Amino acid sequence: MEMRVRKERIRGVPRRGPLFTAAAALLMAAPVVQLILGKVLEDFYRSTTVLPCLLAVAGGILLLTARGKQAGYTIGGLLAILGSSVVISHMLLLPAMLLWGLSAIGVSWNKPVSRLLKGRSLPVLNLAAAILAAVSALLCLDTVGSMPAFALPLALAAVGTVLLCTAADAQTFLPLSPEQRAQQAPRVRYRSVLRPGMLGTLGAVLLLVCEVWQMIDLFRLMSAFHVSLGTLLQPALIIVAAVLLLLRAQNGPRLLPAAILLLIAQTLALFSMQQTVMYAEEMGAALQQTQRIALLFFSVLLLLIGAVGTTWNRPVGKGRPVPLCSAIAAALAAGNGIWAAVYRVSLIVEETRVDFDSAQGLIRSLLLPVGLVLVNLAMEGRQTEANVRKVDGSKYRRGLTGFAANFYSDVGGKLQLLAKICGVLYLIMGVLGVVAIALGIVILLLQLFGLIPPSISPMSLLMAGLIIIASALILAVGTWPLYAFGQITADLHAIRKDGVHASGAAEVPVVGSAATGTGPSADNPDELPEL
């Protein structure tokens, strides 16, 4: 079989120097200046939010710190340009960003078109991206209008994008063949683990206090309003996650299930805020609250990724190193806390008085993000060997062909794993039913003591819990045939591969066979001795 001829590719690599540093600084400053001008001049039409500022700052930091890492350079540049897109609000910036990203990845037709100082060259995609960025900035000049101050962030974003596109050199490289990739040694993965100590315990306690407080308020609201089961589910999931973080297992706290529960809770919060935005009278405040919740969602998502482990989740920092995913997650949670604190303080300043309710709202808005910050800062990186992807005992090559080969290998084991995953999901479903029944019993007891008016009927929760438990039990039993079929498939594959019988006994050659030369043959059926 003939091997496919590999073509050389050309990519744009950063040219370290004052221009590159200035590009990263300008891209970080552009949305921040736009936000400040919008608040100072009270022009809410041109103002922006904190989320693009965070994207631009994160991208600029990746650009400045990704030394020799092309992936960090590519991701950082895309984030920085995306954050500045709120300033250069023209559609031509999108193809400019895509062309720059394609040049950073590398293609065969990304030829150098111009010779710069010291014999360095600029890729054609970088040149095209710089031209599109400059044109899009010029077309946005009419949006400045009667506010010439907003030309400053526009100029910062335009100059920063053009400098980022032009501060690059063309580098020719030959991509690895699938065979070479298959022969590479597995890389080490870094997994985030919660180290023992007061920092992580304090963070889990803050999470627990915040959601217990929320649960108490929801029970109080039941006397006057209808509270859905989904609204009660979100704080309940975070309470269970906090308890898992506080419990000590044999290998440390149960970080992975706690991160999964936190991610589910934040997903429910995003869905509920989406419904709130649709019917909100003040659309701007609702959108800002949605973006604050999105920061917590991405923070918890990075916490889950770090708990699973990746090759790039390396510890960063000195003295007390923290995994990269945990450091970014802590920064996002801190951004949410700062944003919430600024919003609460601005409300207090507008009311020109400080009472118990305003102070209580400020404290409650800080409990969850501060708890997540402490939990992420209490992480430590632990090395685990990466899994070697194999097909029937041999390494497979990467790409679409390798993915298809791995997808259809060990089908019996995958069916068994699917049955187990479905069983776990149905078990969680049954636990939710038990929680619903427990809530119904609590409401019934509170009604007996006269703490909750009898207008609230706990029978709906009790019946819903019973139906959920019965459905989960039936569905869990329904996974048994799938598991049995997967086991049969795995056994048949082992019989074909290893030559073993279904009973597990190895094949034993027949005594006196023709292969040994001592058994009967067609010429001597009576086994008579030869003369």
Side-chain angles (χ1 to χ4, degrees), residues 16-215:
R16 297 289 175 178
L19 293 180
F20 182 79
T21 305
L26 292 176
L27 288 175
M28 287 189 290
V32 177
V33 174
Q34 181 90 355
L35 175 63
I36 296 174
L37 288 177
K39 299 295 183 181
V40 173
L41 300 178
E42 296 183 354
D43 190 342
F44 300 101
Y45 177 75
R46 295 182 179 87
S47 180
T48 182
T49 58
V50 180
L51 185 59
C53 301
L54 293 176
L55 290 177
V57 171
I61 292 174
L62 284 176
L63 285 174
L64 296 175
T65 57
R67 297 186 178 275
K69 301 291 183 180
Q70 191 69 13
Y73 166 70
T74 305
I75 297 174
L78 292 176
L79 287 178
I81 298 176
L82 182 62
S84 299
S85 62
V86 297
V87 181
I88 308 177
S89 56
H90 198 275
M91 293 188 62
L92 283 179
L93 188 64
L94 179 60
M97 182 177 65
L98 295 179
L99 289 177
W100 184 89
L102 190 62
S103 176
I105 295 172
V107 291
S108 59
W109 41 273
N110 189 22
K111 304 297 183 182
V113 294
S114 60
R115 296 288 176 180
L116 301 179
L117 297 177
K118 300 180 180 179
R120 294 174 179 173
S121 55
L122 181 69
V124 62
L125 291 180
N126 285 67
L127 180 61
I131 294 174
L132 288 177
V135 172
S136 62
L138 291 176
L139 293 176
C140 289
L141 286 176
D142 56 346
T143 61
V144 175
S146 59
M147 293 286 187
F150 284 97
L152 176 60
L154 180 62
L156 293 177
V159 175
T161 306
V162 172
L163 287 179
L164 180 65
C165 294
T166 54
D169 292 326
Q171 183 187 63
T172 304
F173 69 101
L174 188 66
L176 296 177
S177 63
E179 292 77 11
Q180 291 174 339
R181 291 179 178 177
Q183 294 174 0
Q184 286 181 340
R187 292 180 294 178
V188 176
R189 292 189 301 122
Y190 294 89
R191 186 164 55 92
S192 298
V193 178
L194 188 62
R195 59 164 63 97
M198 288 300 298
L199 197 61
T201 303
L202 181 58
V205 168
L206 290 179
L207 295 179
L208 185 62
V209 170
C210 176
E211 299 309 317
V212 168
W213 199 344
Q214 178 73 15
M215 189 72 76

Side-chain angles (χ1 to χ4, degrees), residues 235-505:
L237 291 175
I238 300 180
I239 289 173
V240 175
V243 172
L244 289 176
L245 291 175
L246 290 174
L247 293 178
R248 297 293 175 178
Q250 184 178 1
N251 296 325
R254 298 171 177 86
L255 179 61
L256 184 59
I260 294 174
L261 292 177
L262 289 173
L263 183 62
I264 295 174
Q266 293 304 314
T267 304
L268 292 176
L270 279 178
F271 285 145
S272 63
M273 278 305 304
Q274 183 181 6
Q275 298 295 327
T276 305
V277 169
M278 294 175 60
Y279 302 101
E281 296 180 356
E282 296 182 1
M283 188 66 67
L287 288 175
Q288 288 187 4
Q289 189 174 358
T290 304
Q291 292 177 356
R292 291 201 301 268
I293 296 176
L295 289 180
L296 288 182
F297 173 81
F298 287 115
S299 175
V300 175
L301 180 62
L302 287 172
L303 178 64
L304 177 60
I305 294 174
V308 174
T310 59
T311 55
W312 45 269
N313 189 27
R314 298 175 179 271
V316 294
K318 297 180 180 179
R320 189 185 178 93
V322 179
L324 180 61
C325 288
S326 301
I328 300 176
L332 292 176
N336 173 273
I338 295 172
W339 195 350
V342 170
Y343 176 74
R344 291 289 180 176
V345 171
S346 63
L347 292 180
I348 295 174
V349 172
E350 290 178 359
E351 295 177 357
T352 64
R353 62 186 180 88
V354 180
D355 53 4
F356 177 76
D357 293 335
S358 59
Q360 178 182 350
L362 178 60
I363 295 173
R364 289 186 57 178
S365 64
L366 292 177
L367 286 178
L368 184 59
V370 172
L372 288 177
V373 169
L374 294 179
V375 168
N376 283 286
L377 292 180
M379 296 293 173
E380 63 179 354
R382 185 170 297 177
Q383 293 184 3
T384 57
E385 186 175 354
N387 297 326
V388 181
R389 300 179 179 178
K390 297 183 178 181
V391 175
D392 296 335
S394 60
K395 296 181 180 179
Y396 73 94
R397 62 185 184 180
R398 299 179 183 178
L400 184 60
T401 306
F403 173 77
N406 183 59
F407 187 78
Y408 290 102
S409 66
D410 191 19
V411 178
K414 287 183 172 63
L415 289 176
Q416 291 176 297
L417 179 61
L418 179 61
K420 292 180 181 179
I421 292 174
C422 292
V424 171
L425 293 178
Y426 299 147
L427 177 61
I428 296 174
M429 181 178 173
V431 171
L432 294 179
V434 174
V435 171
I437 293 177
L439 288 176
I441 294 174
V442 170
I443 293 173
L444 181 60
L445 293 176
L446 292 177
Q447 286 179 351
L448 293 177
F449 286 98
L451 299 176
I452 293 181
S455 59
I456 303 173
S457 176
M459 293 304 298
S460 59
L461 285 175
L462 294 176
M463 293 302 298
L466 290 176
I467 294 173
I468 291 174
I469 291 176
S471 303
L473 182 60
I474 295 173
L475 292 173
V477 173
T479 60
W480 290 353
L482 180 62
Y483 186 86
F485 182 72
Q487 189 172 5
I488 293 172
T489 306
D491 292 341
L492 290 176
H493 181 73
I495 291 172
R496 189 190 68 176
K497 179 182 176 182
D498 301 330
V500 297
H501 296 287
S503 60

